[in-house]
């Protein structure tokens, strides 16, 4: 077990003893709410607090009685994978009245509850803040009415509120992502992918209506993720005359040989004059103007349903734990806060600042200040919109700049879902910038063999939803073939390289950088975008493909655990991919509710294995029926999956039996998740814009050529905490363990104690990043256009 250091706070020093925490879900339900409830309950019990469920939201708080029940560790078992909210949610008119809040206060005081964790939207959180402000007055009234003793006013003097935003619309300012949004995107993209096959068969146009009465996030991101022809959202209504422009666009797309069109409409879409744009209106317009066979699909509450995605489970678990920490650290003067996500970091922001900014967005839209509304939504929303416009709307040839630069795009390493979305984005942004784009097949192996051809805008249509690598990808490194590659660079006059891939891509850039000393052909801007399921590339918290792999692991673990339903107690040993990187095992374990995850980065011995078996045995003797243990494929050469399976089978004999499963290449396949499509699209677009800038900077007019030989002209674009950063690859060498092909420091190791805590192990948890309230307007770096992240 890790030893104490100055950066870690142990729960002996952060006790919840004597405190009572209540958790409720309010407003509309959202996938992942159960994960948040589970994390609050288990973290609360872990620190010694009493934890209560409030069933049916504020209605249950007002009604009291059996609606307020003490929670146990076992009462939140087997709920992580469930959609909706198992403790119920309800709209409550009574809580909006003073009398209703008086009843609620009385019910809370009877249970000694002064700490509330509210999971809901802006209405639910605003109600909680009002409740907090009125609290002392409500207690005095209860004393006057003889309902509570006078000393209760002093004993329960302050009500502490921490919120988590559960909303599929992602319509709350102050957080990059709300709980439930990613799962809703999964439902939408599943439908879009299914519809696209039938649409192609019949050459149809489909109009999809998605949720978003006041916020177009779902429509915008799903449009970006599926390459929709047209998207209509309330924040940015189309210019007058949009009807004709849309029909021209659809017609032009068909004339280039495309067999389908997809139009996505947010349910709150409006035109510039505030008039609603309905899906049926759009359908009638297309039929009338173009005569295309057109169908409407209204997704409705399908978007709220189903099992939560891996992202939402992890987000909810992180937020739930952070919410309990916030409640433990709060004082009477601490304002109500919301636990939110900024880039890849958990932050706390004042609740009312978030609510006020959310209301400002609506006010700006009502007053037709649409540009301002988009900015107020935040950098993530703004950049999604910019990227969509860049990729979806092809400018006429006459309007394109002419740069006379040739840029090559290639995939290197193992295939990863989302690579094709990244290639599409690079090609289209490059063409928009006036470059000639060249696609290289089969990585550097194809490069030295001359498998290079120019690729046009339409050639990459429909690529976003396809898994694997349509360009082909190989692990071949360039060093052995550097002379032939230089020859091909010269032959095709390649002025810049964009490489999309994993650790091999990183090594390739280092080799090409070294080759600059001998071959001027490599003195060109070169940039890498990380794409690997292993998520082991130095310089980036996240890689394209890792989220899809996590969803494959999580879904499979759900099914495996369900297979034991109704049988005797059983433990499953699951082997994940990742090489020496334990990201998939750790984060997959957190998302699937694993009891243990063995990885290379955290060495373990036979004593720890034995302790884990004993821990599971104790849990199995209570009400826990199924256990889950994940093992990274290269975590230990001696403690193999077979060894661990046999050890658990032997030591658990008489209490539980065991099964094992090696997930293998299933983790690498399948259609990319919405996150990977979106992340791949945005990060690749940013990389291509960097290439364009560097080409201009390094072009030598007198020689008529590009010449770039500085360190900062050979970069990796990665997500670091809150932002996307270009980093010279040579500077990343010191951060890299080349033997084991992993970064020396990895952010996700901080999540391991969280997984252990939720599995009922005693451990320490690093809270050095926690505890500071940040203001909404200041919690985004100016240059940040990072997408949401784990």
């Amino acid at each position: 077990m890790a030893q104490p250091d100055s950066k870690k706070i142990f729960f002996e020093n952060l006790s919840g003893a004597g405190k009572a925490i209540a958790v409720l879900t309010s407003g509309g339900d959202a996938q992942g709410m159960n994960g948040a409830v589970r994390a609050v309950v288990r973290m609360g019990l872990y620190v010694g607090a009493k934890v209560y469920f409030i069933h049916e939201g504020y209605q249950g708080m007002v009604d009291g009685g059996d609606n307020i029940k003490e929670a146990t560790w076992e009462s939140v078992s087997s709920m992580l994978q469930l959609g909706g909210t198992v403790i119920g949610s309800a709209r409550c008119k009574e809580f909006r009245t003073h009398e209703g809040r008086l009843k609620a206060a009385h019910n809370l005081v009877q249970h000694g509850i002064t700490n509330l964790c509210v999971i809901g939207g802006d209405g639910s959180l605003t109600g909680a803040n009002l409740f907090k402000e009125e609290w002392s007055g409500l207690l005095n009234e209860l004393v006057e009415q003889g309902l509570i003793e006078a000393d209760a006013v002093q004993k329960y003097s302050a009500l502490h509120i921490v919120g988590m935003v559960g909303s599929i619309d992602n319509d709350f300012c102050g957080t990059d992502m709300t709980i439930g949004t990613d799962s809703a995107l999964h439902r939408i993209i599943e439908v879009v992918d299914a519809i696209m096959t039938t649409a192609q068969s019949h050459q149809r146009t489909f109009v999809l209506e998605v949720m978003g009465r006041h916020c177009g996030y779902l429509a915008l991101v799903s449009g970006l993720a599926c390459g929709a022809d047209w998207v209509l959202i309330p924040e940015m209504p189309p210019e007058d005359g949009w009807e004709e422009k849309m029909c021209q666009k659809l017609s032009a797309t068909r004339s280039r040989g495309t067999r389908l069109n997809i139009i996505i409409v947010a349910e709150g879409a409006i035109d510039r004059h505030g008039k609603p744009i309905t899906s049926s209106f759009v359908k009638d317009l297309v039929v009338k103007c173009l005569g295309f066979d057109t169908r409407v699909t209204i997704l409705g509450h399908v978007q709220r349903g189903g099992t939560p995605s891996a992202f939402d489970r992890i987000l909810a678990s992180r937020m739930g734990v952070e919410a309990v920490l916030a409640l433990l650290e709060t004082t009477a003067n601490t304002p109500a806060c919301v636990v939110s996500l900024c880039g890849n970091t958990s932050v706390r922001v004042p609740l009312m600042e978030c609510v006020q900014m959310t209301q400002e967005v609506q006010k700006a839209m009502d007053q037709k200040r649409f540009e301002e509304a988009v900015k107020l939504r935040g950098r993530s929303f703004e950049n999604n919109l910019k990227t969509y416009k860049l990729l979806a709307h092809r400018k006429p040839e006459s309007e394109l700049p002419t740069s006379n630069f040739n840029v090559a795009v290639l995939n290197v390493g193992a295939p990863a879902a989302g690579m094709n979305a990244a290639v599409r984005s690079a090609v289209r942004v490059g063409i928009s910038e006036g470059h000639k784009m060249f696609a290289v097949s089969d990585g550097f192996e194809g490069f030295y063999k001359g498998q290079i051809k120019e690729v046009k805008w339409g050639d990459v249509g429909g690529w976003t939803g396809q898994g694997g690598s349509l360009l082909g990808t190989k692990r071949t490194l360039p060093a052995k073939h550097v002379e032939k590659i230089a020859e091909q660079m010269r032959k095709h006059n390649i002025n810049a390289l964009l490489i999309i891939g994993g650790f091999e891509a990183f090594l390739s850039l280092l080799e090409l950088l070294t080759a600059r000393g001998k071959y001027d052909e490599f003195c060109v801007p070169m940039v890498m975008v990380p794409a690997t399921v292993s998520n082991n590339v130095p310089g980036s918290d996240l890689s394209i493909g890792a989220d899809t792999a996590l969803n494959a692991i999580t879904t499979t673990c759900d099914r495996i655990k369900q297979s034991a339903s109704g049988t005797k107690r059983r433990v499953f040993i699951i082997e994940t991919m990742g090489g020496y990187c334990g990201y998939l095992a750790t984060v997959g374990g957190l998302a699937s509710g694993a009891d243990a995850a063995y990885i290379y980065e955290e060495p373990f011995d036979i004593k720890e294995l034995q302790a884990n078996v004993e821990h599971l045995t104790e849990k199995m003797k209570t009400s826990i029926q199924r256990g889950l243990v994940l093992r990274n494929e290269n975590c230990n050469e001696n403690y193999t999956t077979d060894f661990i399976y046999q050890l658990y089978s032997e030591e658990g004999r008489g209490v539980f039996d065991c099964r094992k499963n090696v997930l293998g290449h299933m983790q690498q396949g399948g259609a990319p998740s919405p996150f990977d499509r979106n992340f791949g699209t945005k990060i690749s677009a940013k990389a291509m814009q960097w290439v364009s800038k560097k080409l201009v900077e390094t072009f030598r007019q007198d020689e008529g050529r590009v010449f770039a030989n500085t360190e900062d002209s050979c970069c990796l674009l990665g997500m670091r905490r809150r932002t996307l950063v270009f980093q010279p690859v040579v500077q990343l060498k010191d951060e890299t363990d080349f033997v084991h092909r992993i970064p020396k420091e990895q952010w996700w190791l901080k999540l391991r104690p969280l997984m252990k805590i939720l599995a009922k192990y005693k451990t320490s948890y690093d809270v050095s990043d926690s505890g500071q309230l940040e203001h909404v307007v200041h919690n985004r770096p100016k240059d940040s256009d990072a997408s949401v992240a784990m």
Side-chain angles (χ1 to χ4, degrees):
M1 188 174 288
Q3 293 301 308
D5 64 43
S6 59
K7 284 188 175 181
K8 291 194 175 181
I9 297 176
F10 293 86
F11 294 115
E12 288 83 353
N13 304 323
L14 202 62
S15 174
K19 294 199 175 190
I21 298 171
V23 58
L24 70 144
T25 54
S26 178
D29 64 308
Q31 308 96 318
M33 278 183 166
N34 289 324
V37 170
R38 170 180 177 267
V40 169
V41 169
R42 291 195 167 176
M43 188 64 172
L45 293 173
Y46 190 89
V47 297
K50 273 190 173 184
V51 186
Y52 292 86
F53 292 135
I54 298 179
H55 291 272
E56 311 307 331
Y58 287 119
Q59 190 65 56
M61 195 190 295
V62 171
D63 294 343
D66 289 341
N67 288 303
I68 302 176
K69 289 182 181 176
E70 191 169 348
T72 65
W73 194 275
E74 289 74 24
S75 61
V76 292
S77 295
S78 303
M79 67 188 285
L80 185 59
Q81 71 275 17
L82 300 176
T85 165
V86 298
I87 60 172
S89 181
R91 312 282 180 188
C92 180
K93 288 183 180 177
E94 199 174 352
F95 188 75
R96 295 177 185 175
T97 67
H98 184 78
E99 292 74 18
R101 292 192 291 276
L102 192 65
K103 286 183 188 176
H106 184 217
N107 290 326
L108 293 188
V109 169
Q110 284 182 317
H111 291 86
I113 297 168
T114 56
N115 297 279
L116 273 186
C117 186
V118 181
I119 308 165
D122 60 338
S124 304
L125 297 176
T126 304
N129 190 70
L130 176 62
F131 193 37
K132 172 184 167 66
E133 289 174 351
E134 291 182 347
W135 181 255
S136 58
L138 293 171
L139 295 196
N140 287 328
E141 280 188 59
L142 291 171
V143 170
E144 288 170 12
Q145 294 177 18
L147 294 171
I148 61 173
E149 298 297 326
D151 62 350
V153 176
Q154 185 64 35
K155 189 176 179 182
Y156 306 118
S157 59
L159 179 68
H160 307 296
I161 304 281
V162 173
M164 286 182 277
V165 191
S167 164
I168 67 165
D169 293 335
N170 203 30
D171 57 353
F172 193 81
C173 294
T175 183
D176 283 354
M177 196 69 133
T178 56
I179 295 167
T181 304
D182 187 69
S183 300
L185 285 170
H186 272 260
R187 300 295 93 77
I188 294 168
I189 294 304
E190 284 165 12
V191 171
V192 172
D193 285 352
I195 277 175
M196 286 176 90
T197 57
T198 182
Q200 281 187 323
S201 302
H202 298 277
Q203 295 194 55
R204 278 186 179 140
T205 295
F206 267 89
V207 182
L208 268 80
E209 184 182 302
V210 302
M211 281 185 166
R213 195 171 299 121
H214 304 292
C215 178
Y217 185 89
L218 290 178
L220 178 57
V221 175
S222 55
L224 199 57
C226 73
D229 295 280
W230 204 268
V231 171
L232 294 158
I233 60 173
E235 290 88 347
M236 188 52 68
E239 300 289 343
D240 289 346
W242 65 272
E243 297 93 340
E244 187 180 344
K245 286 180 182 175
M246 184 186 77
C247 290
Q248 286 174 352
K249 165 87 189 296
L250 300 179
S251 182
T253 305
R254 285 289 178 95
S255 66
R256 290 194 292 269
T258 304
R259 293 178 59 86
L260 79 157
N261 300 111
I262 299 288
I263 302 164
I264 297 182
V265 184
E267 63 179 333
I270 53 173
D271 65 15
R272 288 270 154 181
H273 309 287
K275 181 184 174 185
I277 300 174
T278 64
S279 50
S280 58
F281 173 81
V282 175
K283 176 206 167 181
D284 293 343
L285 179 69
V286 174
V287 172
K288 181 183 174 183
C289 296
L290 299 173
F292 291 171
D293 185 6
T294 307
R295 298 286 190 275
V296 171
T297 299
I298 299 173
L299 270 63
H301 282 74
V302 164
Q303 296 156 88
R304 285 195 189 280
T307 187
S309 66
F311 183 99
D312 272 328
R313 298 185 197 195
I314 295 155
L315 176 65
S317 298
R318 288 177 71 181
M319 297 299 101
V321 168
E322 185 71 21
V324 173
L325 289 175
L327 285 171
L328 292 183
E329 294 166 14
T330 193
T331 65
N333 298 320
T334 306
C337 74
V338 173
V339 178
S340 70
L341 186 74
C342 178
N344 196 30
T345 308
S346 301
V347 295
R348 300 175 196 170
V349 286
L351 188 155
M352 288 315 294
E353 281 188 19
C354 298
V355 169
Q356 284 159 11
M357 188 168 281
T358 303
Q359 291 169 351
E360 280 295 317
V361 178
Q362 190 58 50
K363 194 183 294 182
M365 288 161 60
D366 292 342
Q367 296 172 359
K368 299 183 173 55
R369 292 181 282 117
F370 299 114
E371 298 283 349
E372 189 179 335
V374 168
K375 282 186 168 58
L376 286 168
R377 278 276 181 236
R379 295 285 294 185
S380 179
F381 188 95
E382 193 178 358
N383 284 299
N384 277 317
L385 186 57
K386 282 180 183 175
T387 308
Y388 175 74
K389 286 179 177 177
L390 201 60
L391 298 174
H393 301 294
R394 182 184 183 184
K395 291 179 182 175
E397 297 287 338
S398 56
E399 291 181 25
L400 290 174
T402 49
S403 68
N404 296 319
F405 293 125
N406 295 346
V407 181
V409 182
L410 65 157
N411 293 335
V412 177
M419 273 183 165
N420 297 321
V423 171
R424 169 186 176 269
S425 177
V427 167
R428 292 197 168 179
V429 172
I431 291 171
S432 296
E433 305 263 326
H435 310 317
K436 270 190 180 179
M437 299 301 297
F438 288 82
V440 182
S441 299
D442 298 334
F444 283 107
E445 189 172 311
F447 211 137
Y448 83 80
K449 290 178 179 177
Q451 295 169 208
I452 304 165
K453 65 175 183 179
E454 188 179 351
V455 59
K456 301 286 190 180
W457 185 281
D459 296 336
V460 291
W463 279 35
T464 50
Q466 306 229 30
S469 166
L470 292 171
L471 282 186
T473 182
K474 295 283 178 73
R475 295 180 184 271
T476 308
L477 297 178
K480 290 181 181 177
H481 312 286
V482 73
E483 188 176 344
K484 289 182 179 178
I485 293 168
E487 186 183 317
Q488 293 296 336
M489 294 272 289
R490 193 164 54 250
K491 179 181 174 182
H492 292 88
N493 190 28
I494 302 298
N495 306 120
L497 286 180
L498 193 155
I499 302 172
I500 301 162
F503 202 86
E504 290 87 357
F506 173 62
L507 294 176
S508 297
L509 270 191
L510 289 172
E511 290 183 357
L512 294 178
L513 191 64
T514 303
R516 280 179 172 178
K518 193 173 180 182
Y519 301 96
D520 280 358
E521 287 80 6
F522 300 118
C523 293
V524 296
M526 296 186 282
V527 65
M528 173 195 163
V529 169
T532 167
V533 300
S534 301
N535 198 32
N536 63 330
V537 177
S540 188
D541 291 353
L542 281 177
S543 299
I544 298 162
D547 183 69
T548 305
L550 278 176
N551 277 288
I553 292 167
T554 306
T555 302
T556 308
C557 287
D558 285 351
R559 290 177 179 177
I560 286 170
K561 286 200 290 186
Q562 193 182 49
S563 72
S565 179
T567 67
K568 58 185 178 179
R569 295 181 175 92
R570 182 165 287 168
V571 174
F572 296 94
I573 315 295
I574 313 289
E575 183 185 301
T576 65
M577 291 175 85
Y580 285 95
C581 181
Y583 176 81
L584 291 179
T586 296
V587 184
L590 183 58
S592 53
D595 296 278
Y598 300 115
I599 62 169
Y600 166 79
E601 291 92 341
E602 198 172 279
F604 57 96
D605 55 20
I606 195 68
K607 289 180 182 175
E608 185 169 344
L609 287 169
Q610 182 65 33
N612 291 156
V613 174
E614 290 171 0
H615 183 80
L616 258 176
T617 303
E618 285 302 309
K619 285 170 73 174
M620 288 285 179
K621 286 177 180 176
T622 59
S623 61
I624 305 296
Q625 297 292 312
R626 298 179 292 280
L628 187 67
V629 174
L630 272 62
R631 177 190 176 274
N632 167 243
E633 59 185 349
N634 288 344
C635 66
N636 189 293
E637 62 181 339
N638 294 314
Y639 300 137
T640 62
T641 301
D642 281 337
F643 178 90
I644 292 173
Y645 162 70
Q646 288 165 4
L647 175 71
Y648 272 74
S649 296
E650 181 61 32
E651 297 298 318
R653 195 183 298 275
V655 179
F656 60 81
D657 66 1
C658 272
R659 296 290 185 273
K660 65 177 177 178
N661 199 300
V662 178
L663 300 185
H665 282 75
M666 182 198 69
Q667 298 156 85
Q668 230 168 8
S673 67
F675 183 98
D676 277 330
R677 298 183 196 198
N678 190 20
F679 185 52
T681 297
K682 288 191 351 188
I683 195 172
S684 193
K686 189 173 178 70
M688 199 63 232
Q689 288 168 331
W690 176 89
V691 166
S692 296
K693 183 183 171 190
K694 285 291 178 186
L695 283 168
V696 173
E697 287 176 2
T698 58
F699 182 71
R700 294 184 173 181
Q701 292 283 355
D702 53 337
E703 299 176 28
R705 67 165 182 151
V706 172
F707 189 83
N709 64 349
T710 55
E711 286 183 0
D712 67 353
S713 64
C714 182
C715 283
L716 179 147
L717 174 57
M719 172 174 272
R720 286 290 182 101
R721 289 173 63 82
R722 300 191 185 194
T723 189
L724 292 170
V725 186
F726 289 96
Q727 304 145 98
V729 289
V730 71
Q731 293 178 15
L732 295 173
K733 288 169 75 173
D734 290 341
E735 298 180 24
T736 308
D737 175 351
F738 286 95
V739 175
H740 299 101
R741 298 159 60 90
I742 54 174
K744 289 178 181 174
E745 290 189 14
Q746 306 194 77
W747 69 273
W748 51 264
L749 287 170
K750 286 186 176 182
L751 299 181
R752 286 187 63 76
L754 194 152
M755 182 189 72
K756 291 177 181 178
I757 287 167
L758 297 178
K760 215 173 182 178
Y761 284 92
K762 285 289 177 187
T763 186
S764 60
Y765 183 53
D766 185 350
V767 293
S768 54
D769 291 338
S770 301
Q772 295 298 314
L773 266 179
E774 297 188 12
H775 293 289
V776 179
V777 289
H778 299 308
N779 74 341
R780 301 290 182 275
K782 284 185 180 178
D783 62 343
S784 168
D785 48 2
S787 177
V788 289
M790 301 292 186

